[in-house]
Amino acid sequence: MAGTRVVGFLMYDAPRDDDEARIYRFMIDRASQGRGYGKAALREVLDEIQGLGHVSHVSICYEPDNDAARDLYRSAGFVEEGLDEDGEMIADIAFAARTDDP
């Protein structure tokens, strides 16, 4: 959201019985792209997912020729893992190990 205007959509899954979260959809309206909304949304969702406490890494897929997506995910720390069976690039980000020590 930008004020009261919807600028994008994001959907993820973080099952309690899995240490991996998956971002399935991440779209920013074409008219709103290039204004920092994607970077801000990605930062927020990664913070939210990490705050769940049971997730150690997050994966996302995107078209390999989508340079804007590649640059965004790379800047957030995602590392490309290779292509999936549908020809989409898989990228993954690992969270630092949590410690319960004060």
Side-chain angles (χ1 to χ4, degrees), residues 63-94:
E63 292 295 325
D65 61 347
N66 186 337
D67 293 331
R70 172 179 279 119
D71 292 346
L72 173 64
Y73 303 138
R74 186 176 289 155
S75 74
F78 281 85
V79 176
E80 292 182 340
E81 301 289 325
L83 301 177
D84 69 8
E85 63 276 355
D86 296 320
E88 290 193 335
M89 180 59 67
I90 303 168
D92 193 83
I93 186 171

PDB file of all heavy atoms in Angstrom, residues 63-94:
ATOM      1  N   GLU A  63      11.381 -15.350 -13.562  1.00  0.00           N
ATOM      2  CA  GLU A  63      11.836 -15.578 -14.933  1.00  0.00           C
ATOM      3  C   GLU A  63      13.309 -15.193 -15.041  1.00  0.00           C
ATOM      4  O   GLU A  63      13.697 -14.103 -14.599  1.00  0.00           O
ATOM      5  CB  GLU A  63      11.006 -14.755 -15.921  1.00  0.00           C
ATOM      6  CG  GLU A  63       9.557 -15.200 -16.032  1.00  0.00           C
ATOM      7  CD  GLU A  63       9.425 -16.601 -16.599  1.00  0.00           C
ATOM      8  OE1 GLU A  63      10.239 -17.003 -17.477  1.00  0.00           O
ATOM      9  OE2 GLU A  63       8.505 -17.316 -16.159  1.00  0.00           O
ATOM     10  N   PRO A  64      14.140 -16.049 -15.608  1.00  0.00           N
ATOM     11  CA  PRO A  64      15.573 -15.778 -15.657  1.00  0.00           C
ATOM     12  C   PRO A  64      15.951 -14.507 -16.429  1.00  0.00           C
ATOM     13  O   PRO A  64      16.992 -13.921 -16.173  1.00  0.00           O
ATOM     14  CB  PRO A  64      16.176 -17.004 -16.333  1.00  0.00           C
ATOM     15  CG  PRO A  64      15.097 -17.979 -16.510  1.00  0.00           C
ATOM     16  CD  PRO A  64      13.796 -17.338 -16.166  1.00  0.00           C
ATOM     17  N   ASP A  65      15.088 -14.067 -17.338  1.00  0.00           N
ATOM     18  CA  ASP A  65      15.409 -12.855 -18.101  1.00  0.00           C
ATOM     19  C   ASP A  65      14.841 -11.583 -17.466  1.00  0.00           C
ATOM     20  O   ASP A  65      14.947 -10.498 -18.039  1.00  0.00           O
ATOM     21  CB  ASP A  65      14.937 -12.982 -19.550  1.00  0.00           C
ATOM     22  CG  ASP A  65      13.438 -13.172 -19.667  1.00  0.00           C
ATOM     23  OD1 ASP A  65      12.776 -13.455 -18.653  1.00  0.00           O
ATOM     24  OD2 ASP A  65      12.920 -13.040 -20.797  1.00  0.00           O
ATOM     25  N   ASN A  66      14.294 -11.689 -16.256  1.00  0.00           N
ATOM     26  CA  ASN A  66      13.759 -10.535 -15.546  1.00  0.00           C
ATOM     27  C   ASN A  66      14.886  -9.907 -14.720  1.00  0.00           C
ATOM     28  O   ASN A  66      15.095 -10.236 -13.555  1.00  0.00           O
ATOM     29  CB  ASN A  66      12.584 -10.952 -14.652  1.00  0.00           C
ATOM     30  CG  ASN A  66      11.904  -9.777 -14.004  1.00  0.00           C
ATOM     31  OD1 ASN A  66      12.478  -8.709 -13.843  1.00  0.00           O
ATOM     32  ND2 ASN A  66      10.664  -9.990 -13.591  1.00  0.00           N
ATOM     33  N   ASP A  67      15.627  -9.012 -15.359  1.00  0.00           N
ATOM     34  CA  ASP A  67      16.790  -8.409 -14.706  1.00  0.00           C
ATOM     35  C   ASP A  67      16.413  -7.572 -13.486  1.00  0.00           C
ATOM     36  O   ASP A  67      17.162  -7.529 -12.512  1.00  0.00           O
ATOM     37  CB  ASP A  67      17.571  -7.551 -15.704  1.00  0.00           C
ATOM     38  CG  ASP A  67      18.226  -8.381 -16.793  1.00  0.00           C
ATOM     39  OD1 ASP A  67      18.557  -9.563 -16.535  1.00  0.00           O
ATOM     40  OD2 ASP A  67      18.397  -7.864 -17.917  1.00  0.00           O
ATOM     41  N   ALA A  68      15.265  -6.914 -13.525  1.00  0.00           N
ATOM     42  CA  ALA A  68      14.844  -6.095 -12.381  1.00  0.00           C
ATOM     43  C   ALA A  68      14.607  -6.985 -11.161  1.00  0.00           C
ATOM     44  O   ALA A  68      15.032  -6.645 -10.051  1.00  0.00           O
ATOM     45  CB  ALA A  68      13.588  -5.301 -12.725  1.00  0.00           C
ATOM     46  N   ALA A  69      13.944  -8.126 -11.355  1.00  0.00           N
ATOM     47  CA  ALA A  69      13.710  -9.056 -10.245  1.00  0.00           C
ATOM     48  C   ALA A  69      15.039  -9.600  -9.738  1.00  0.00           C
ATOM     49  O   ALA A  69      15.285  -9.633  -8.525  1.00  0.00           O
ATOM     50  CB  ALA A  69      12.803 -10.194 -10.680  1.00  0.00           C
ATOM     51  N   ARG A  70      15.898 -10.025 -10.655  1.00  0.00           N
ATOM     52  CA  ARG A  70      17.213 -10.552 -10.264  1.00  0.00           C
ATOM     53  C   ARG A  70      17.980  -9.530  -9.414  1.00  0.00           C
ATOM     54  O   ARG A  70      18.514  -9.856  -8.362  1.00  0.00           O
ATOM     55  CB  ARG A  70      18.022 -10.919 -11.489  1.00  0.00           C
ATOM     56  CG  ARG A  70      19.472 -11.294 -11.158  1.00  0.00           C
ATOM     57  CD  ARG A  70      20.275 -11.694 -12.364  1.00  0.00           C
ATOM     58  NE  ARG A  70      19.945 -13.084 -12.658  1.00  0.00           N
ATOM     59  CZ  ARG A  70      19.386 -13.501 -13.801  1.00  0.00           C
ATOM     60  NH1 ARG A  70      19.104 -12.649 -14.760  1.00  0.00           N
ATOM     61  NH2 ARG A  70      19.126 -14.776 -13.985  1.00  0.00           N
ATOM     62  N   ASP A  71      18.011  -8.292  -9.862  1.00  0.00           N
ATOM     63  CA  ASP A  71      18.740  -7.245  -9.136  1.00  0.00           C
ATOM     64  C   ASP A  71      18.130  -6.992  -7.757  1.00  0.00           C
ATOM     65  O   ASP A  71      18.856  -6.823  -6.776  1.00  0.00           O
ATOM     66  CB  ASP A  71      18.761  -5.949  -9.942  1.00  0.00           C
ATOM     67  CG  ASP A  71      19.605  -6.045 -11.200  1.00  0.00           C
ATOM     68  OD1 ASP A  71      20.398  -7.008 -11.337  1.00  0.00           O
ATOM     69  OD2 ASP A  71      19.454  -5.161 -12.069  1.00  0.00           O
ATOM     70  N   LEU A  72      16.798  -6.962  -7.684  1.00  0.00           N
ATOM     71  CA  LEU A  72      16.125  -6.740  -6.412  1.00  0.00           C
ATOM     72  C   LEU A  72      16.443  -7.854  -5.421  1.00  0.00           C
ATOM     73  O   LEU A  72      16.855  -7.596  -4.284  1.00  0.00           O
ATOM     74  CB  LEU A  72      14.613  -6.640  -6.616  1.00  0.00           C
ATOM     75  CG  LEU A  72      13.769  -6.566  -5.341  1.00  0.00           C
ATOM     76  CD1 LEU A  72      14.075  -5.294  -4.567  1.00  0.00           C
ATOM     77  CD2 LEU A  72      12.291  -6.668  -5.682  1.00  0.00           C
ATOM     78  N   TYR A  73      16.274  -9.093  -5.852  1.00  0.00           N
ATOM     79  CA  TYR A  73      16.495 -10.222  -4.943  1.00  0.00           C
ATOM     80  C   TYR A  73      17.966 -10.337  -4.560  1.00  0.00           C
ATOM     81  O   TYR A  73      18.292 -10.601  -3.406  1.00  0.00           O
ATOM     82  CB  TYR A  73      15.967 -11.517  -5.551  1.00  0.00           C
ATOM     83  CG  TYR A  73      14.505 -11.435  -5.912  1.00  0.00           C
ATOM     84  CD1 TYR A  73      14.018 -11.964  -7.095  1.00  0.00           C
ATOM     85  CD2 TYR A  73      13.600 -10.775  -5.082  1.00  0.00           C
ATOM     86  CE1 TYR A  73      12.678 -11.870  -7.426  1.00  0.00           C
ATOM     87  CE2 TYR A  73      12.255 -10.679  -5.411  1.00  0.00           C
ATOM     88  CZ  TYR A  73      11.805 -11.229  -6.589  1.00  0.00           C
ATOM     89  OH  TYR A  73      10.482 -11.126  -6.922  1.00  0.00           O
ATOM     90  N   ARG A  74      18.854 -10.120  -5.506  1.00  0.00           N
ATOM     91  CA  ARG A  74      20.286 -10.177  -5.212  1.00  0.00           C
ATOM     92  C   ARG A  74      20.661  -9.103  -4.188  1.00  0.00           C
ATOM     93  O   ARG A  74      21.427  -9.363  -3.269  1.00  0.00           O
ATOM     94  CB  ARG A  74      21.088  -9.996  -6.497  1.00  0.00           C
ATOM     95  CG  ARG A  74      22.582 -10.176  -6.288  1.00  0.00           C
ATOM     96  CD  ARG A  74      23.342 -10.099  -7.582  1.00  0.00           C
ATOM     97  NE  ARG A  74      23.053 -11.293  -8.373  1.00  0.00           N
ATOM     98  CZ  ARG A  74      23.145 -11.336  -9.693  1.00  0.00           C
ATOM     99  NH1 ARG A  74      23.503 -10.286 -10.382  1.00  0.00           N
ATOM    100  NH2 ARG A  74      22.875 -12.455 -10.339  1.00  0.00           N
ATOM    101  N   SER A  75      20.108  -7.901  -4.337  1.00  0.00           N
ATOM    102  CA  SER A  75      20.430  -6.816  -3.406  1.00  0.00           C
ATOM    103  C   SER A  75      19.941  -7.122  -1.988  1.00  0.00           C
ATOM    104  O   SER A  75      20.488  -6.598  -1.018  1.00  0.00           O
ATOM    105  CB  SER A  75      19.851  -5.483  -3.890  1.00  0.00           C
ATOM    106  OG  SER A  75      18.448  -5.433  -3.705  1.00  0.00           O
ATOM    107  N   ALA A  76      18.928  -7.973  -1.876  1.00  0.00           N
ATOM    108  CA  ALA A  76      18.406  -8.363  -0.555  1.00  0.00           C
ATOM    109  C   ALA A  76      19.185  -9.534   0.042  1.00  0.00           C
ATOM    110  O   ALA A  76      18.979  -9.878   1.201  1.00  0.00           O
ATOM    111  CB  ALA A  76      16.927  -8.725  -0.665  1.00  0.00           C
ATOM    112  N   GLY A  77      20.057 -10.166  -0.756  1.00  0.00           N
ATOM    113  CA  GLY A  77      20.850 -11.277  -0.259  1.00  0.00           C
ATOM    114  C   GLY A  77      20.493 -12.638  -0.808  1.00  0.00           C
ATOM    115  O   GLY A  77      21.062 -13.647  -0.398  1.00  0.00           O
ATOM    116  N   PHE A  78      19.525 -12.702  -1.729  1.00  0.00           N
ATOM    117  CA  PHE A  78      19.165 -13.980  -2.340  1.00  0.00           C
ATOM    118  C   PHE A  78      20.309 -14.459  -3.240  1.00  0.00           C
ATOM    119  O   PHE A  78      20.978 -13.652  -3.889  1.00  0.00           O
ATOM    120  CB  PHE A  78      17.895 -13.849  -3.183  1.00  0.00           C
ATOM    121  CG  PHE A  78      16.623 -13.848  -2.380  1.00  0.00           C
ATOM    122  CD1 PHE A  78      16.137 -12.672  -1.828  1.00  0.00           C
ATOM    123  CD2 PHE A  78      15.913 -15.021  -2.172  1.00  0.00           C
ATOM    124  CE1 PHE A  78      14.976 -12.652  -1.096  1.00  0.00           C
ATOM    125  CE2 PHE A  78      14.740 -15.024  -1.441  1.00  0.00           C
ATOM    126  CZ  PHE A  78      14.265 -13.832  -0.897  1.00  0.00           C
ATOM    127  N   VAL A  79      20.502 -15.774  -3.277  1.00  0.00           N
ATOM    128  CA  VAL A  79      21.525 -16.400  -4.108  1.00  0.00           C
ATOM    129  C   VAL A  79      20.827 -17.335  -5.082  1.00  0.00           C
ATOM    130  O   VAL A  79      19.995 -18.161  -4.665  1.00  0.00           O
ATOM    131  CB  VAL A  79      22.524 -17.199  -3.231  1.00  0.00           C
ATOM    132  CG1 VAL A  79      23.528 -17.935  -4.087  1.00  0.00           C
ATOM    133  CG2 VAL A  79      23.210 -16.275  -2.243  1.00  0.00           C
ATOM    134  N   GLU A  80      21.155 -17.213  -6.360  1.00  0.00           N
ATOM    135  CA  GLU A  80      20.541 -18.085  -7.364  1.00  0.00           C
ATOM    136  C   GLU A  80      21.013 -19.513  -7.188  1.00  0.00           C
ATOM    137  O   GLU A  80      22.198 -19.768  -7.016  1.00  0.00           O
ATOM    138  CB  GLU A  80      20.857 -17.570  -8.761  1.00  0.00           C
ATOM    139  CG  GLU A  80      20.183 -16.255  -9.069  1.00  0.00           C
ATOM    140  CD  GLU A  80      20.455 -15.764 -10.474  1.00  0.00           C
ATOM    141  OE1 GLU A  80      21.440 -16.202 -11.101  1.00  0.00           O
ATOM    142  OE2 GLU A  80      19.658 -14.923 -10.939  1.00  0.00           O
ATOM    143  N   GLU A  81      20.051 -20.440  -7.252  1.00  0.00           N
ATOM    144  CA  GLU A  81      20.337 -21.857  -7.063  1.00  0.00           C
ATOM    145  C   GLU A  81      20.271 -22.639  -8.373  1.00  0.00           C
ATOM    146  O   GLU A  81      20.728 -23.767  -8.432  1.00  0.00           O
ATOM    147  CB  GLU A  81      19.333 -22.461  -6.069  1.00  0.00           C
ATOM    148  CG  GLU A  81      19.337 -21.803  -4.697  1.00  0.00           C
ATOM    149  CD  GLU A  81      20.579 -22.137  -3.903  1.00  0.00           C
ATOM    150  OE1 GLU A  81      21.081 -23.271  -4.024  1.00  0.00           O
ATOM    151  OE2 GLU A  81      21.054 -21.257  -3.169  1.00  0.00           O
ATOM    152  N   GLY A  82      19.650 -22.081  -9.395  1.00  0.00           N
ATOM    153  CA  GLY A  82      19.488 -22.775 -10.667  1.00  0.00           C
ATOM    154  C   GLY A  82      18.041 -22.744 -11.104  1.00  0.00           C
ATOM    155  O   GLY A  82      17.181 -22.172 -10.435  1.00  0.00           O
ATOM    156  N   LEU A  83      17.775 -23.379 -12.245  1.00  0.00           N
ATOM    157  CA  LEU A  83      16.437 -23.371 -12.825  1.00  0.00           C
ATOM    158  C   LEU A  83      15.591 -24.519 -12.299  1.00  0.00           C
ATOM    159  O   LEU A  83      16.103 -25.622 -12.062  1.00  0.00           O
ATOM    160  CB  LEU A  83      16.524 -23.464 -14.346  1.00  0.00           C
ATOM    161  CG  LEU A  83      17.298 -22.346 -15.046  1.00  0.00           C
ATOM    162  CD1 LEU A  83      17.354 -22.610 -16.543  1.00  0.00           C
ATOM    163  CD2 LEU A  83      16.685 -20.994 -14.765  1.00  0.00           C
ATOM    164  N   ASP A  84      14.288 -24.263 -12.143  1.00  0.00           N
ATOM    165  CA  ASP A  84      13.373 -25.332 -11.765  1.00  0.00           C
ATOM    166  C   ASP A  84      12.876 -26.033 -13.021  1.00  0.00           C
ATOM    167  O   ASP A  84      13.287 -25.709 -14.134  1.00  0.00           O
ATOM    168  CB  ASP A  84      12.232 -24.815 -10.879  1.00  0.00           C
ATOM    169  CG  ASP A  84      11.250 -23.908 -11.613  1.00  0.00           C
ATOM    170  OD1 ASP A  84      11.328 -23.769 -12.855  1.00  0.00           O
ATOM    171  OD2 ASP A  84      10.388 -23.318 -10.923  1.00  0.00           O
ATOM    172  N   GLU A  85      11.963 -26.983 -12.844  1.00  0.00           N
ATOM    173  CA  GLU A  85      11.472 -27.778 -13.978  1.00  0.00           C
ATOM    174  C   GLU A  85      10.666 -26.955 -14.980  1.00  0.00           C
ATOM    175  O   GLU A  85      10.472 -27.371 -16.112  1.00  0.00           O
ATOM    176  CB  GLU A  85      10.644 -28.975 -13.483  1.00  0.00           C
ATOM    177  CG  GLU A  85       9.383 -28.607 -12.733  1.00  0.00           C
ATOM    178  CD  GLU A  85       9.600 -28.316 -11.252  1.00  0.00           C
ATOM    179  OE1 GLU A  85      10.720 -28.477 -10.737  1.00  0.00           O
ATOM    180  OE2 GLU A  85       8.614 -27.911 -10.603  1.00  0.00           O
ATOM    181  N   ASP A  86      10.209 -25.771 -14.574  1.00  0.00           N
ATOM    182  CA  ASP A  86       9.463 -24.893 -15.474  1.00  0.00           C
ATOM    183  C   ASP A  86      10.352 -23.834 -16.117  1.00  0.00           C
ATOM    184  O   ASP A  86       9.859 -22.953 -16.811  1.00  0.00           O
ATOM    185  CB  ASP A  86       8.323 -24.200 -14.716  1.00  0.00           C
ATOM    186  CG  ASP A  86       7.297 -25.199 -14.199  1.00  0.00           C
ATOM    187  OD1 ASP A  86       6.990 -26.161 -14.933  1.00  0.00           O
ATOM    188  OD2 ASP A  86       6.807 -25.027 -13.069  1.00  0.00           O
ATOM    189  N   GLY A  87      11.657 -23.890 -15.846  1.00  0.00           N
ATOM    190  CA  GLY A  87      12.583 -22.933 -16.423  1.00  0.00           C
ATOM    191  C   GLY A  87      12.685 -21.619 -15.670  1.00  0.00           C
ATOM    192  O   GLY A  87      13.276 -20.670 -16.169  1.00  0.00           O
ATOM    193  N   GLU A  88      12.102 -21.556 -14.456  1.00  0.00           N
ATOM    194  CA  GLU A  88      12.226 -20.352 -13.645  1.00  0.00           C
ATOM    195  C   GLU A  88      13.457 -20.460 -12.750  1.00  0.00           C
ATOM    196  O   GLU A  88      13.833 -21.552 -12.314  1.00  0.00           O
ATOM    197  CB  GLU A  88      10.977 -20.150 -12.782  1.00  0.00           C
ATOM    198  CG  GLU A  88       9.768 -19.760 -13.578  1.00  0.00           C
ATOM    199  CD  GLU A  88       8.638 -19.271 -12.680  1.00  0.00           C
ATOM    200  OE1 GLU A  88       8.586 -19.650 -11.494  1.00  0.00           O
ATOM    201  OE2 GLU A  88       7.811 -18.494 -13.177  1.00  0.00           O
ATOM    202  N   MET A  89      14.080 -19.315 -12.496  1.00  0.00           N
ATOM    203  CA  MET A  89      15.235 -19.276 -11.611  1.00  0.00           C
ATOM    204  C   MET A  89      14.769 -19.407 -10.168  1.00  0.00           C
ATOM    205  O   MET A  89      13.818 -18.745  -9.754  1.00  0.00           O
ATOM    206  CB  MET A  89      15.989 -17.953 -11.790  1.00  0.00           C
ATOM    207  CG  MET A  89      17.217 -17.827 -10.912  1.00  0.00           C
ATOM    208  SD  MET A  89      18.452 -19.112 -11.180  1.00  0.00           S
ATOM    209  CE  MET A  89      18.991 -18.701 -12.833  1.00  0.00           C
ATOM    210  N   ILE A  90      15.442 -20.252  -9.410  1.00  0.00           N
ATOM    211  CA  ILE A  90      15.197 -20.395  -7.980  1.00  0.00           C
ATOM    212  C   ILE A  90      16.295 -19.621  -7.258  1.00  0.00           C
ATOM    213  O   ILE A  90      17.478 -19.789  -7.553  1.00  0.00           O
ATOM    214  CB  ILE A  90      15.261 -21.867  -7.532  1.00  0.00           C
ATOM    215  CG1 ILE A  90      14.274 -22.722  -8.315  1.00  0.00           C
ATOM    216  CG2 ILE A  90      15.026 -21.983  -6.025  1.00  0.00           C
ATOM    217  CD1 ILE A  90      14.496 -24.216  -8.137  1.00  0.00           C
ATOM    218  N   ALA A  91      15.895 -18.780  -6.334  1.00  0.00           N
ATOM    219  CA  ALA A  91      16.862 -18.060  -5.502  1.00  0.00           C
ATOM    220  C   ALA A  91      16.485 -18.279  -4.043  1.00  0.00           C
ATOM    221  O   ALA A  91      15.315 -18.450  -3.712  1.00  0.00           O
ATOM    222  CB  ALA A  91      16.873 -16.580  -5.850  1.00  0.00           C
ATOM    223  N   ASP A  92      17.481 -18.273  -3.189  1.00  0.00           N
ATOM    224  CA  ASP A  92      17.281 -18.590  -1.784  1.00  0.00           C
ATOM    225  C   ASP A  92      18.076 -17.607  -0.919  1.00  0.00           C
ATOM    226  O   ASP A  92      19.159 -17.178  -1.314  1.00  0.00           O
ATOM    227  CB  ASP A  92      17.772 -20.019  -1.521  1.00  0.00           C
ATOM    228  CG  ASP A  92      17.345 -20.566  -0.183  1.00  0.00           C
ATOM    229  OD1 ASP A  92      16.202 -21.053  -0.097  1.00  0.00           O
ATOM    230  OD2 ASP A  92      18.141 -20.512   0.768  1.00  0.00           O
ATOM    231  N   ILE A  93      17.512 -17.270   0.217  1.00  0.00           N
ATOM    232  CA  ILE A  93      18.227 -16.469   1.204  1.00  0.00           C
ATOM    233  C   ILE A  93      18.167 -17.200   2.533  1.00  0.00           C
ATOM    234  O   ILE A  93      17.101 -17.699   2.921  1.00  0.00           O
ATOM    235  CB  ILE A  93      17.660 -15.041   1.324  1.00  0.00           C
ATOM    236  CG1 ILE A  93      18.523 -14.189   2.265  1.00  0.00           C
ATOM    237  CG2 ILE A  93      16.206 -15.050   1.760  1.00  0.00           C
ATOM    238  CD1 ILE A  93      18.154 -12.713   2.276  1.00  0.00           C
ATOM    239  N   ALA A  94      19.324 -17.321   3.184  1.00  0.00           N
ATOM    240  CA  ALA A  94      19.388 -17.978   4.493  1.00  0.00           C
ATOM    241  C   ALA A  94      19.472 -16.911   5.571  1.00  0.00           C
ATOM    242  O   ALA A  94      20.178 -15.916   5.411  1.00  0.00           O
ATOM    243  CB  ALA A  94      20.604 -18.896   4.554  1.00  0.00           C
TER     244      ALA A  94
END
